[in-house]
Amino acid sequence: MRDLTQAIAELTPWLEGLESERKSAVAQSYKGLALGAAGAAAWVLVCYAASWPVPVMFVGGVVIFIGLMAWGSHRLNKLRKTVKAGLNDRFAEAFGMRYRAEVHNPIRFDAFREHDLVPTSDRKSFEDLFSGEVHGADFDLYEAHLEQRRRTKNRTYYVTVFRGVLIRINFPRTVEGVTLVKRDAGMFNALEGWAKKTFSGKKLERVGLVDPTFEKAFEVYGTDQVMARYLLTPSFMERLLKLESVLKGKNVRCVFDENLGEGAGRGELLIVAETGNKFEAGSMFKPLTDQSRIATLHGEFSMIDDIIHTVLEPASEGGGVSPQA
């Protein structure tokens, strides 16, 4: 089912079996909307006739409308979860991965935070965990939604500060120390260099990159200059830039950390990219057999496959220098 035509052929019968339920759930959703509007209007008329206070009129109308809307959309929301889980499960299996919709213990999230790869947050949620193995290296990819609390004189609200994917890869090459790759901070580079960088009591020094293209795009810090250059081969840096187009996202950054791996010389690579919300079932107001629904998810699974192979495919001969050299 890696081929889109095959995916459409295999998934269409299953989706056709759910189409009658979708139509019924959509009808109930519209019914809830109509009843909510009518109920709220009736409440307003009753309050007006009884000369009840405006706040009572307003709050009661909103509660009635939202309550009936929730009743109306309940079946549609349940179906959306069923379709999403079913499609993701089937695609994950076809691409040689495992899928879990709920993420209760996000893998290495503390490490992502400690390395300053994601911003601080007051509210966070995680979903859509994919895991597997490529070229002998295991990986995990999941989505994160991070929000910070804001306060004004009259209210408290939340704003999204990050929505994207977090990727953990058990890197198959030797990793020693810490090598941090962040986006170029432009005019703030000097301040960044002055304020940073230490990790676990170790000083991270600025690492210069040979290629000016990468030098403009990234800021690199490491505990070991030789090791950093061993890891950040030209081919790897090209792949890192390529990830942004593969992910259809922005601000890709990463860290190599020997302390996260298991066994001598085996560290982990953590990658972050701002991609928005992916791996969803699509609109329930369109027929489930709409080919664009399958095509969108197929493209996103191909994206995961591309990411992992892009990072982990064996380097071409001469692509790296031994750290002992």
Side-chain angles (χ1 to χ4, degrees):
M1 205 165 64
R2 286 174 177 255
D3 177 74
L4 177 57
T5 302
Q6 181 187 2
I8 292 172
E10 292 188 15
L11 292 172
T12 296
W14 175 69
L15 292 170
E16 284 177 342
L18 296 171
E19 184 60 18
S20 61
E21 169 62 18
R22 184 197 69 83
K23 291 178 179 178
S24 178
V26 167
Q28 181 173 313
S29 177
Y30 285 134
K31 184 178 181 181
L33 176 62
L35 289 175
W43 174 259
V44 169
L45 290 175
V46 168
C47 291
Y48 182 78
S51 299
W52 288 354
V54 172
V56 173
M57 181 189 305
F58 176 76
V59 173
V62 169
V63 169
I64 291 171
F65 181 75
I66 292 177
L68 288 170
M69 276 286 292
W71 168 81
S73 61
H74 172 71
R75 285 176 62 190
L76 203 60
N77 291 334
K78 184 177 179 181
L79 178 64
R80 182 180 291 108
K81 291 181 179 179
T82 298
V83 173
K84 173 180 175 176
L87 288 174
N88 284 341
D89 273 334
R90 286 165 171 79
F91 271 123
E93 183 178 359
F95 279 85
M97 306 175 201
R98 298 176 296 277
Y99 170 71
R100 192 168 71 228
E102 297 182 351
V103 182
H104 300 295
N105 298 301
I107 298 166
R108 297 291 191 239
F109 182 71
D110 288 343
F112 282 105
R113 273 293 312 123
E114 289 168 2
H115 285 294
D116 200 27
L117 292 175
V118 294
T120 57
S121 58
D122 300 297
R123 191 164 68 181
K124 48 188 177 288
S125 61
F126 309 93
E127 64 177 351
D128 298 333
L129 169 65
F130 303 92
S131 56
E133 185 174 306
V134 173
H135 297 304
D138 60 280
F139 70 89
D140 301 283
L141 178 151
Y142 60 93
E143 291 190 290
H145 183 199
L146 309 179
E147 299 172 285
Q148 289 180 356
R149 186 168 49 244
R150 300 281 192 270
R151 290 190 178 93
T152 65
K153 183 178 179 181
N154 299 317
R155 69 188 183 107
T156 297
Y157 61 100
Y158 289 85
V159 297
T160 295
V161 292
F162 176 84
R163 187 152 204 171
V165 296
L166 307 183
I167 308 167
R168 180 207 68 88
I169 299 174
N170 189 16
F171 203 62
R173 295 171 63 192
T174 298
V175 175
E176 295 177 2
V178 173
T179 300
L180 178 66
V181 181
K182 302 192 74 175
R183 298 315 296 241
D184 185 86
M187 62 181 293
F188 297 102
N189 282 341
L191 180 61
E192 176 89 352
W194 175 79
K196 260 290 203 203
K197 302 282 187 189
T198 60
F199 182 76
S200 297
K202 298 179 180 179
K203 183 179 180 181
L204 301 183
E205 297 181 345
R206 177 79 180 272
V207 178
L209 297 173
V210 176
D211 193 307
T213 301
F214 308 136
E215 189 74 51
K216 289 180 181 179
F218 298 103
E219 292 291 310
V220 180
Y221 301 87
T223 55
D224 185 320
Q225 296 269 335
V226 176
M227 174 54 63
R229 291 191 176 91
Y230 163 71
L231 293 169
L232 304 180
T233 63
S235 62
F236 178 83
M237 298 305 288
E238 285 176 5
R239 295 171 188 178
L240 201 59
L241 283 177
K242 180 184 174 184
L243 286 187
E244 289 195 354
S245 61
V246 171
L247 286 162
K248 296 181 175 63
K250 59 183 181 179
N251 293 336
V252 169
R253 58 263 194 191
C254 68
V255 67
F256 293 90
D257 190 341
E258 70 171 346
N259 299 310
L260 300 178
E262 296 181 0
R266 293 299 297 270
E268 289 184 353
L269 169 62
L270 306 181
I271 304 175
V272 171
E274 298 168 23
T275 60
N277 191 19
K278 293 187 176 292
F279 313 112
E280 296 302 312
S283 173
M284 292 294 105
F285 292 92
K286 293 182 179 180
L288 293 177
T289 52
D290 180 8
Q291 291 188 5
S292 65
R293 184 189 311 276
I294 299 175
T296 297
L297 265 178
H298 183 272
E300 291 175 352
F301 274 87
S302 296
M303 173 198 73
I304 298 178
D305 201 49
D306 285 346
I307 291 169
I308 304 304
H309 280 86
T310 294
V311 174
L312 288 179
E313 66 183 1
S316 58
E317 197 155 323
V321 180
S322 168
Q324 283 80 30

